[in-house]
């Protein structure tokens, strides 16, 4: 009789654990997606800043575009695709502004979210340092 009561308690704990996991696992997977999304946006911001620094170090707009293309070509991320950067403003002796756009693909893709990718854009402005003042 003692063994029989003990088994019922163990079975109840197992049912409670499985029920709790049905609730906790989707929440944890959603949080993994959110953390990956925040890290992707941070990487996009860093890419924009790196592109703006490279463009600011170039003496003219043509070399600035080549420098930005080199930074974009060397950028590698497992969750970011369609990486592009555009120089939106290049004022010789003043500032350069670069805008980057990337597509983020969710690593887990929790079914109830309903979205598989998200587009991010970032803008960075740096003073031009590649041109000597006249």
């Amino acid at each position: 009789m003692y063994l029989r009561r003990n088994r019922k308690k163990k079975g109840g704990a197992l049912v409670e654990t499985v029920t709790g996991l049905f609730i906790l696992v989707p929440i944890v997977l959603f949080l993994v997606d959110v953390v990956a999304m925040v890290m992707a946006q941070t990487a996009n911001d860093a890419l924009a800043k790196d592109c703006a620094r490279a463009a600011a170090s170039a003496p003219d707009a043509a070399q600035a575009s080549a420098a930005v293309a080199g930074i974009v070509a060397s950028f590698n991320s497992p969750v970011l695709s369609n990486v592009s950067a555009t120089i939106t403003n290049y004022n010789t002796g003043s500032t350069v502004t670069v805008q980057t756009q990337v597509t983020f693909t969710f690593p887990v893709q929790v079914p109830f979210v309903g979205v598989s990718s998200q587009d991010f854009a970032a803008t960075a402005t740096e003073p031009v340092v590649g041109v000597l003042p006249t």
Side-chain angles (χ1 to χ4, degrees):
M1 185 142 84
Y2 175 72
L3 294 174
R4 191 179 225 180
R5 262 190 255 145
N6 196 13
R7 269 195 243 162
K8 287 182 181 179
K9 288 181 182 178
K10 286 184 181 178
L14 180 64
V15 169
E16 290 173 4
T17 302
V18 170
T19 305
L21 288 177
F22 275 117
I23 296 169
L24 289 178
V25 168
I27 292 171
V28 169
L29 292 177
F30 176 75
L31 290 176
V32 167
D33 275 346
V34 169
V35 168
M37 188 169 39
V38 169
M39 291 176 62
Q41 180 59 33
T42 303
N44 186 32
D45 288 340
L47 174 67
K49 193 73 168 170
D50 290 344
C51 287
R53 286 182 186 145
S57 299
D60 60 10
Q63 290 181 1
S65 293
V68 168
I71 295 293
V72 170
S74 66
F75 182 75
N76 189 11
S77 174
V79 293
L80 295 178
S81 60
N82 301 330
V83 179
S84 66
T86 307
I87 298 175
T88 58
N89 187 13
Y90 187 91
N91 295 329
T92 305
S94 181
T95 60
V96 61
T97 303
V98 176
Q99 182 179 17
T100 60
Q101 294 181 342
V102 298
T103 300
F104 168 71
T105 305
F106 289 97
V108 177
Q109 298 179 6
V110 178
F112 62 83
V113 175
V115 179
S116 62
S117 66
Q118 176 71 37
D119 293 331
F120 290 125
T123 303
T125 302
E126 287 286 325
V128 175
V129 294
V131 179
L132 294 174
T134 55

